[in-house]
Amino acid sequence: MKWTIALIAAFMLATLNAYAQTTYKKDIPSALAKEAKVDEATAAAAARARVPNGTIRSVELEREKGRLIYSYDFVVDGRKGIEEVNVDATTGKVIATERESAATERAEAAHEAAPKKTTKKP
């Protein structure tokens, strides 16, 4: 009887945790999603394996250095800044992890928000 209750409680906790983890900001352009061979849920599982005690804050599907990647930002209780985990959208393998301080993250956000300069040719 105790095992049954413990099993049910563990299942409910895992289900709630899985549900909570699907509620994060997603920036996945449809044009890039069509190119990806790995879906976002599979990539998220690979990223979570690298930061098991973290919570996904956001994901972005982007082309970086010619590679299509899912870039996950994790927050970890008790630590400042974020853990960034990049997952190859073709293979599903984690290709990079990086610890970013809050200051680095703010600078990156400001850089991404800045208007892109374009050169006009006559």
PDB file of all heavy atoms in Angstrom, residues 65-97:
ATOM      1  N   LYS A  65      26.724  30.588 -36.635  1.00  0.00           N
ATOM      2  CA  LYS A  65      27.948  30.095 -37.280  1.00  0.00           C
ATOM      3  C   LYS A  65      27.624  29.019 -38.318  1.00  0.00           C
ATOM      4  O   LYS A  65      28.295  27.995 -38.407  1.00  0.00           O
ATOM      5  CB  LYS A  65      28.938  29.580 -36.247  1.00  0.00           C
ATOM      6  CG  LYS A  65      29.403  30.656 -35.288  1.00  0.00           C
ATOM      7  CD  LYS A  65      30.357  30.115 -34.253  1.00  0.00           C
ATOM      8  CE  LYS A  65      30.702  31.198 -33.256  1.00  0.00           C
ATOM      9  NZ  LYS A  65      31.485  30.699 -32.143  1.00  0.00           N
ATOM     10  N   GLY A  66      26.538  29.233 -39.066  1.00  0.00           N
ATOM     11  CA  GLY A  66      26.157  28.318 -40.127  1.00  0.00           C
ATOM     12  C   GLY A  66      25.418  27.073 -39.669  1.00  0.00           C
ATOM     13  O   GLY A  66      25.039  26.240 -40.478  1.00  0.00           O
ATOM     14  N   ARG A  67      25.198  26.933 -38.374  1.00  0.00           N
ATOM     15  CA  ARG A  67      24.551  25.759 -37.810  1.00  0.00           C
ATOM     16  C   ARG A  67      23.180  26.118 -37.271  1.00  0.00           C
ATOM     17  O   ARG A  67      23.010  27.154 -36.639  1.00  0.00           O
ATOM     18  CB  ARG A  67      25.407  25.274 -36.643  1.00  0.00           C
ATOM     19  CG  ARG A  67      25.564  23.834 -36.514  1.00  0.00           C
ATOM     20  CD  ARG A  67      26.524  23.542 -35.368  1.00  0.00           C
ATOM     21  NE  ARG A  67      26.894  22.163 -35.446  1.00  0.00           N
ATOM     22  CZ  ARG A  67      27.795  21.599 -34.691  1.00  0.00           C
ATOM     23  NH1 ARG A  67      28.440  22.302 -33.794  1.00  0.00           N
ATOM     24  NH2 ARG A  67      28.069  20.334 -34.810  1.00  0.00           N
ATOM     25  N   LEU A  68      22.194  25.273 -37.498  1.00  0.00           N
ATOM     26  CA  LEU A  68      20.857  25.480 -36.959  1.00  0.00           C
ATOM     27  C   LEU A  68      20.823  24.887 -35.557  1.00  0.00           C
ATOM     28  O   LEU A  68      21.070  23.690 -35.381  1.00  0.00           O
ATOM     29  CB  LEU A  68      19.817  24.811 -37.863  1.00  0.00           C
ATOM     30  CG  LEU A  68      18.356  25.102 -37.545  1.00  0.00           C
ATOM     31  CD1 LEU A  68      18.047  26.594 -37.663  1.00  0.00           C
ATOM     32  CD2 LEU A  68      17.450  24.311 -38.483  1.00  0.00           C
ATOM     33  N   ILE A  69      20.532  25.742 -34.561  1.00  0.00           N
ATOM     34  CA  ILE A  69      20.568  25.287 -33.169  1.00  0.00           C
ATOM     35  C   ILE A  69      19.344  25.757 -32.391  1.00  0.00           C
ATOM     36  O   ILE A  69      18.729  26.769 -32.712  1.00  0.00           O
ATOM     37  CB  ILE A  69      21.832  25.787 -32.424  1.00  0.00           C
ATOM     38  CG1 ILE A  69      21.824  27.319 -32.319  1.00  0.00           C
ATOM     39  CG2 ILE A  69      23.102  25.271 -33.067  1.00  0.00           C
ATOM     40  CD1 ILE A  69      22.818  27.861 -31.316  1.00  0.00           C
ATOM     41  N   TYR A  70      19.023  24.980 -31.362  1.00  0.00           N
ATOM     42  CA  TYR A  70      18.099  25.413 -30.326  1.00  0.00           C
ATOM     43  C   TYR A  70      18.975  25.952 -29.204  1.00  0.00           C
ATOM     44  O   TYR A  70      19.878  25.264 -28.729  1.00  0.00           O
ATOM     45  CB  TYR A  70      17.272  24.246 -29.782  1.00  0.00           C
ATOM     46  CG  TYR A  70      16.264  23.682 -30.741  1.00  0.00           C
ATOM     47  CD1 TYR A  70      16.528  22.517 -31.459  1.00  0.00           C
ATOM     48  CD2 TYR A  70      15.022  24.294 -30.912  1.00  0.00           C
ATOM     49  CE1 TYR A  70      15.583  21.985 -32.323  1.00  0.00           C
ATOM     50  CE2 TYR A  70      14.073  23.760 -31.777  1.00  0.00           C
ATOM     51  CZ  TYR A  70      14.362  22.609 -32.481  1.00  0.00           C
ATOM     52  OH  TYR A  70      13.421  22.086 -33.330  1.00  0.00           O
ATOM     53  N   SER A  71      18.729  27.184 -28.783  1.00  0.00           N
ATOM     54  CA  SER A  71      19.488  27.796 -27.706  1.00  0.00           C
ATOM     55  C   SER A  71      18.577  27.939 -26.492  1.00  0.00           C
ATOM     56  O   SER A  71      17.610  28.705 -26.527  1.00  0.00           O
ATOM     57  CB  SER A  71      20.015  29.160 -28.150  1.00  0.00           C
ATOM     58  OG  SER A  71      20.741  29.771 -27.105  1.00  0.00           O
ATOM     59  N   TYR A  72      18.862  27.189 -25.434  1.00  0.00           N
ATOM     60  CA  TYR A  72      18.044  27.186 -24.224  1.00  0.00           C
ATOM     61  C   TYR A  72      18.707  28.014 -23.140  1.00  0.00           C
ATOM     62  O   TYR A  72      19.907  27.909 -22.920  1.00  0.00           O
ATOM     63  CB  TYR A  72      17.862  25.754 -23.696  1.00  0.00           C
ATOM     64  CG  TYR A  72      16.961  24.926 -24.560  1.00  0.00           C
ATOM     65  CD1 TYR A  72      17.475  24.157 -25.594  1.00  0.00           C
ATOM     66  CD2 TYR A  72      15.589  24.925 -24.352  1.00  0.00           C
ATOM     67  CE1 TYR A  72      16.640  23.408 -26.405  1.00  0.00           C
ATOM     68  CE2 TYR A  72      14.755  24.171 -25.160  1.00  0.00           C
ATOM     69  CZ  TYR A  72      15.287  23.420 -26.179  1.00  0.00           C
ATOM     70  OH  TYR A  72      14.455  22.684 -26.981  1.00  0.00           O
ATOM     71  N   ASP A  73      17.905  28.830 -22.457  1.00  0.00           N
ATOM     72  CA  ASP A  73      18.352  29.563 -21.274  1.00  0.00           C
ATOM     73  C   ASP A  73      17.706  28.924 -20.057  1.00  0.00           C
ATOM     74  O   ASP A  73      16.483  28.813 -19.984  1.00  0.00           O
ATOM     75  CB  ASP A  73      17.954  31.036 -21.350  1.00  0.00           C
ATOM     76  CG  ASP A  73      18.764  31.818 -22.363  1.00  0.00           C
ATOM     77  OD1 ASP A  73      19.793  31.302 -22.833  1.00  0.00           O
ATOM     78  OD2 ASP A  73      18.373  32.953 -22.682  1.00  0.00           O
ATOM     79  N   PHE A  74      18.541  28.498 -19.108  1.00  0.00           N
ATOM     80  CA  PHE A  74      18.085  27.885 -17.871  1.00  0.00           C
ATOM     81  C   PHE A  74      18.378  28.802 -16.697  1.00  0.00           C
ATOM     82  O   PHE A  74      19.414  29.461 -16.671  1.00  0.00           O
ATOM     83  CB  PHE A  74      18.860  26.581 -17.595  1.00  0.00           C
ATOM     84  CG  PHE A  74      18.432  25.403 -18.403  1.00  0.00           C
ATOM     85  CD1 PHE A  74      18.925  25.199 -19.684  1.00  0.00           C
ATOM     86  CD2 PHE A  74      17.562  24.472 -17.874  1.00  0.00           C
ATOM     87  CE1 PHE A  74      18.558  24.098 -20.427  1.00  0.00           C
ATOM     88  CE2 PHE A  74      17.187  23.353 -18.616  1.00  0.00           C
ATOM     89  CZ  PHE A  74      17.686  23.172 -19.889  1.00  0.00           C
ATOM     90  N   VAL A  75      17.482  28.814 -15.734  1.00  0.00           N
ATOM     91  CA  VAL A  75      17.763  29.422 -14.442  1.00  0.00           C
ATOM     92  C   VAL A  75      17.938  28.287 -13.450  1.00  0.00           C
ATOM     93  O   VAL A  75      17.274  27.251 -13.548  1.00  0.00           O
ATOM     94  CB  VAL A  75      16.654  30.392 -13.983  1.00  0.00           C
ATOM     95  CG1 VAL A  75      16.627  31.630 -14.838  1.00  0.00           C
ATOM     96  CG2 VAL A  75      15.299  29.741 -13.956  1.00  0.00           C
ATOM     97  N   VAL A  76      18.872  28.484 -12.527  1.00  0.00           N
ATOM     98  CA  VAL A  76      19.156  27.471 -11.517  1.00  0.00           C
ATOM     99  C   VAL A  76      19.007  28.136 -10.152  1.00  0.00           C
ATOM    100  O   VAL A  76      19.626  29.181  -9.904  1.00  0.00           O
ATOM    101  CB  VAL A  76      20.582  26.896 -11.688  1.00  0.00           C
ATOM    102  CG1 VAL A  76      20.868  25.858 -10.619  1.00  0.00           C
ATOM    103  CG2 VAL A  76      20.770  26.309 -13.076  1.00  0.00           C
ATOM    104  N   ASP A  77      18.172  27.556  -9.307  1.00  0.00           N
ATOM    105  CA  ASP A  77      17.966  28.115  -7.970  1.00  0.00           C
ATOM    106  C   ASP A  77      19.299  28.274  -7.252  1.00  0.00           C
ATOM    107  O   ASP A  77      20.136  27.374  -7.280  1.00  0.00           O
ATOM    108  CB  ASP A  77      17.046  27.213  -7.139  1.00  0.00           C
ATOM    109  CG  ASP A  77      15.596  27.284  -7.597  1.00  0.00           C
ATOM    110  OD1 ASP A  77      15.232  28.260  -8.282  1.00  0.00           O
ATOM    111  OD2 ASP A  77      14.828  26.361  -7.266  1.00  0.00           O
ATOM    112  N   GLY A  78      19.470  29.445  -6.634  1.00  0.00           N
ATOM    113  CA  GLY A  78      20.673  29.694  -5.851  1.00  0.00           C
ATOM    114  C   GLY A  78      21.855  30.197  -6.662  1.00  0.00           C
ATOM    115  O   GLY A  78      22.916  30.456  -6.103  1.00  0.00           O
ATOM    116  N   ARG A  79      21.704  30.337  -7.971  1.00  0.00           N
ATOM    117  CA  ARG A  79      22.803  30.825  -8.817  1.00  0.00           C
ATOM    118  C   ARG A  79      22.323  32.028  -9.610  1.00  0.00           C
ATOM    119  O   ARG A  79      21.214  32.042 -10.112  1.00  0.00           O
ATOM    120  CB  ARG A  79      23.269  29.742  -9.780  1.00  0.00           C
ATOM    121  CG  ARG A  79      23.874  28.547  -9.056  1.00  0.00           C
ATOM    122  CD  ARG A  79      24.460  27.568  -9.999  1.00  0.00           C
ATOM    123  NE  ARG A  79      25.721  28.083 -10.505  1.00  0.00           N
ATOM    124  CZ  ARG A  79      26.485  27.449 -11.390  1.00  0.00           C
ATOM    125  NH1 ARG A  79      26.070  26.306 -11.874  1.00  0.00           N
ATOM    126  NH2 ARG A  79      27.612  27.952 -11.791  1.00  0.00           N
ATOM    127  N   LYS A  80      23.169  33.017  -9.757  1.00  0.00           N
ATOM    128  CA  LYS A  80      22.832  34.193 -10.548  1.00  0.00           C
ATOM    129  C   LYS A  80      23.166  33.926 -12.003  1.00  0.00           C
ATOM    130  O   LYS A  80      24.010  33.094 -12.316  1.00  0.00           O
ATOM    131  CB  LYS A  80      23.601  35.412 -10.051  1.00  0.00           C
ATOM    132  CG  LYS A  80      23.183  35.842  -8.665  1.00  0.00           C
ATOM    133  CD  LYS A  80      23.919  37.077  -8.225  1.00  0.00           C
ATOM    134  CE  LYS A  80      23.460  37.472  -6.839  1.00  0.00           C
ATOM    135  NZ  LYS A  80      24.142  38.666  -6.368  1.00  0.00           N
ATOM    136  N   GLY A  81      22.505  34.654 -12.892  1.00  0.00           N
ATOM    137  CA  GLY A  81      22.760  34.483 -14.312  1.00  0.00           C
ATOM    138  C   GLY A  81      22.008  33.289 -14.862  1.00  0.00           C
ATOM    139  O   GLY A  81      21.053  32.803 -14.259  1.00  0.00           O
ATOM    140  N   ILE A  82      22.454  32.833 -16.024  1.00  0.00           N
ATOM    141  CA  ILE A  82      21.790  31.708 -16.678  1.00  0.00           C
ATOM    142  C   ILE A  82      22.804  30.695 -17.176  1.00  0.00           C
ATOM    143  O   ILE A  82      23.979  31.008 -17.353  1.00  0.00           O
ATOM    144  CB  ILE A  82      20.926  32.166 -17.879  1.00  0.00           C
ATOM    145  CG1 ILE A  82      21.802  32.807 -18.949  1.00  0.00           C
ATOM    146  CG2 ILE A  82      19.811  33.082 -17.464  1.00  0.00           C
ATOM    147  CD1 ILE A  82      21.165  32.829 -20.306  1.00  0.00           C
ATOM    148  N   GLU A  83      22.305  29.504 -17.403  1.00  0.00           N
ATOM    149  CA  GLU A  83      23.065  28.465 -18.089  1.00  0.00           C
ATOM    150  C   GLU A  83      22.494  28.401 -19.496  1.00  0.00           C
ATOM    151  O   GLU A  83      21.284  28.229 -19.668  1.00  0.00           O
ATOM    152  CB  GLU A  83      22.888  27.098 -17.416  1.00  0.00           C
ATOM    153  CG  GLU A  83      23.482  26.975 -16.038  1.00  0.00           C
ATOM    154  CD  GLU A  83      25.001  26.892 -16.046  1.00  0.00           C
ATOM    155  OE1 GLU A  83      25.593  26.500 -17.077  1.00  0.00           O
ATOM    156  OE2 GLU A  83      25.590  27.228 -15.017  1.00  0.00           O
ATOM    157  N   GLU A  84      23.326  28.576 -20.497  1.00  0.00           N
ATOM    158  CA  GLU A  84      22.866  28.473 -21.877  1.00  0.00           C
ATOM    159  C   GLU A  84      23.322  27.131 -22.425  1.00  0.00           C
ATOM    160  O   GLU A  84      24.483  26.748 -22.296  1.00  0.00           O
ATOM    161  CB  GLU A  84      23.443  29.595 -22.731  1.00  0.00           C
ATOM    162  CG  GLU A  84      22.952  29.555 -24.154  1.00  0.00           C
ATOM    163  CD  GLU A  84      23.462  30.709 -25.005  1.00  0.00           C
ATOM    164  OE1 GLU A  84      23.874  31.734 -24.451  1.00  0.00           O
ATOM    165  OE2 GLU A  84      23.439  30.551 -26.236  1.00  0.00           O
ATOM    166  N   VAL A  85      22.389  26.406 -23.016  1.00  0.00           N
ATOM    167  CA  VAL A  85      22.681  25.103 -23.606  1.00  0.00           C
ATOM    168  C   VAL A  85      22.249  25.146 -25.063  1.00  0.00           C
ATOM    169  O   VAL A  85      21.107  25.472 -25.362  1.00  0.00           O
ATOM    170  CB  VAL A  85      21.945  23.962 -22.868  1.00  0.00           C
ATOM    171  CG1 VAL A  85      22.259  22.613 -23.514  1.00  0.00           C
ATOM    172  CG2 VAL A  85      22.305  23.942 -21.390  1.00  0.00           C
ATOM    173  N   ASN A  86      23.180  24.840 -25.966  1.00  0.00           N
ATOM    174  CA  ASN A  86      22.881  24.813 -27.399  1.00  0.00           C
ATOM    175  C   ASN A  86      22.787  23.367 -27.873  1.00  0.00           C
ATOM    176  O   ASN A  86      23.679  22.563 -27.614  1.00  0.00           O
ATOM    177  CB  ASN A  86      23.961  25.534 -28.197  1.00  0.00           C
ATOM    178  CG  ASN A  86      24.010  27.016 -27.887  1.00  0.00           C
ATOM    179  OD1 ASN A  86      23.020  27.608 -27.495  1.00  0.00           O
ATOM    180  ND2 ASN A  86      25.162  27.622 -28.052  1.00  0.00           N
ATOM    181  N   VAL A  87      21.679  23.081 -28.577  1.00  0.00           N
ATOM    182  CA  VAL A  87      21.430  21.743 -29.089  1.00  0.00           C
ATOM    183  C   VAL A  87      21.334  21.822 -30.609  1.00  0.00           C
ATOM    184  O   VAL A  87      20.602  22.656 -31.146  1.00  0.00           O
ATOM    185  CB  VAL A  87      20.113  21.158 -28.516  1.00  0.00           C
ATOM    186  CG1 VAL A  87      19.836  19.774 -29.090  1.00  0.00           C
ATOM    187  CG2 VAL A  87      20.161  21.117 -26.991  1.00  0.00           C
ATOM    188  N   ASP A  88      22.093  20.975 -31.291  1.00  0.00           N
ATOM    189  CA  ASP A  88      22.073  20.934 -32.752  1.00  0.00           C
ATOM    190  C   ASP A  88      20.690  20.483 -33.217  1.00  0.00           C
ATOM    191  O   ASP A  88      20.210  19.421 -32.818  1.00  0.00           O
ATOM    192  CB  ASP A  88      23.152  19.975 -33.255  1.00  0.00           C
ATOM    193  CG  ASP A  88      23.337  20.024 -34.753  1.00  0.00           C
ATOM    194  OD1 ASP A  88      22.351  19.802 -35.482  1.00  0.00           O
ATOM    195  OD2 ASP A  88      24.467  20.277 -35.201  1.00  0.00           O
ATOM    196  N   ALA A  89      20.048  21.290 -34.062  1.00  0.00           N
ATOM    197  CA  ALA A  89      18.687  20.994 -34.525  1.00  0.00           C
ATOM    198  C   ALA A  89      18.667  19.919 -35.599  1.00  0.00           C
ATOM    199  O   ALA A  89      17.595  19.471 -36.005  1.00  0.00           O
ATOM    200  CB  ALA A  89      18.023  22.261 -35.046  1.00  0.00           C
ATOM    201  N   THR A  90      19.834  19.473 -36.048  1.00  0.00           N
ATOM    202  CA  THR A  90      19.920  18.404 -37.033  1.00  0.00           C
ATOM    203  C   THR A  90      20.152  17.048 -36.368  1.00  0.00           C
ATOM    204  O   THR A  90      19.552  16.053 -36.748  1.00  0.00           O
ATOM    205  CB  THR A  90      21.062  18.688 -38.024  1.00  0.00           C
ATOM    206  OG1 THR A  90      20.840  19.968 -38.618  1.00  0.00           O
ATOM    207  CG2 THR A  90      21.123  17.645 -39.119  1.00  0.00           C
ATOM    208  N   THR A  91      21.010  17.036 -35.332  1.00  0.00           N
ATOM    209  CA  THR A  91      21.374  15.770 -34.690  1.00  0.00           C
ATOM    210  C   THR A  91      20.734  15.554 -33.325  1.00  0.00           C
ATOM    211  O   THR A  91      20.661  14.422 -32.850  1.00  0.00           O
ATOM    212  CB  THR A  91      22.903  15.686 -34.510  1.00  0.00           C
ATOM    213  OG1 THR A  91      23.312  16.706 -33.568  1.00  0.00           O
ATOM    214  CG2 THR A  91      23.635  15.839 -35.817  1.00  0.00           C
ATOM    215  N   GLY A  92      20.327  16.635 -32.651  1.00  0.00           N
ATOM    216  CA  GLY A  92      19.771  16.523 -31.308  1.00  0.00           C
ATOM    217  C   GLY A  92      20.819  16.435 -30.223  1.00  0.00           C
ATOM    218  O   GLY A  92      20.499  16.244 -29.058  1.00  0.00           O
ATOM    219  N   LYS A  93      22.093  16.626 -30.593  1.00  0.00           N
ATOM    220  CA  LYS A  93      23.176  16.539 -29.607  1.00  0.00           C
ATOM    221  C   LYS A  93      23.493  17.916 -29.036  1.00  0.00           C
ATOM    222  O   LYS A  93      23.450  18.923 -29.741  1.00  0.00           O
ATOM    223  CB  LYS A  93      24.430  15.957 -30.243  1.00  0.00           C
ATOM    224  CG  LYS A  93      24.236  14.532 -30.679  1.00  0.00           C
ATOM    225  CD  LYS A  93      25.506  13.941 -31.195  1.00  0.00           C
ATOM    226  CE  LYS A  93      25.178  12.557 -31.696  1.00  0.00           C
ATOM    227  NZ  LYS A  93      26.090  11.575 -31.303  1.00  0.00           N
ATOM    228  N   VAL A  94      23.841  17.937 -27.743  1.00  0.00           N
ATOM    229  CA  VAL A  94      24.278  19.176 -27.106  1.00  0.00           C
ATOM    230  C   VAL A  94      25.642  19.521 -27.675  1.00  0.00           C
ATOM    231  O   VAL A  94      26.559  18.692 -27.669  1.00  0.00           O
ATOM    232  CB  VAL A  94      24.343  19.018 -25.574  1.00  0.00           C
ATOM    233  CG1 VAL A  94      24.954  20.257 -24.934  1.00  0.00           C
ATOM    234  CG2 VAL A  94      22.961  18.741 -25.007  1.00  0.00           C
ATOM    235  N   ILE A  95      25.770  20.737 -28.205  1.00  0.00           N
ATOM    236  CA  ILE A  95      27.034  21.133 -28.825  1.00  0.00           C
ATOM    237  C   ILE A  95      27.792  22.174 -28.015  1.00  0.00           C
ATOM    238  O   ILE A  95      28.983  22.369 -28.239  1.00  0.00           O
ATOM    239  CB  ILE A  95      26.828  21.634 -30.273  1.00  0.00           C
ATOM    240  CG1 ILE A  95      25.817  22.765 -30.314  1.00  0.00           C
ATOM    241  CG2 ILE A  95      26.423  20.486 -31.173  1.00  0.00           C
ATOM    242  CD1 ILE A  95      25.664  23.406 -31.682  1.00  0.00           C
ATOM    243  N   ALA A  96      27.113  22.836 -27.073  1.00  0.00           N
ATOM    244  CA  ALA A  96      27.805  23.827 -26.248  1.00  0.00           C
ATOM    245  C   ALA A  96      26.976  24.127 -25.003  1.00  0.00           C
ATOM    246  O   ALA A  96      25.755  24.066 -25.024  1.00  0.00           O
ATOM    247  CB  ALA A  96      28.027  25.112 -27.028  1.00  0.00           C
ATOM    248  N   THR A  97      27.686  24.436 -23.926  1.00  0.00           N
ATOM    249  CA  THR A  97      27.057  24.945 -22.708  1.00  0.00           C
ATOM    250  C   THR A  97      27.895  26.121 -22.238  1.00  0.00           C
ATOM    251  O   THR A  97      29.118  26.127 -22.414  1.00  0.00           O
ATOM    252  CB  THR A  97      26.983  23.889 -21.591  1.00  0.00           C
ATOM    253  OG1 THR A  97      28.306  23.451 -21.281  1.00  0.00           O
ATOM    254  CG2 THR A  97      26.139  22.710 -21.989  1.00  0.00           C
TER     255      THR A  97
END
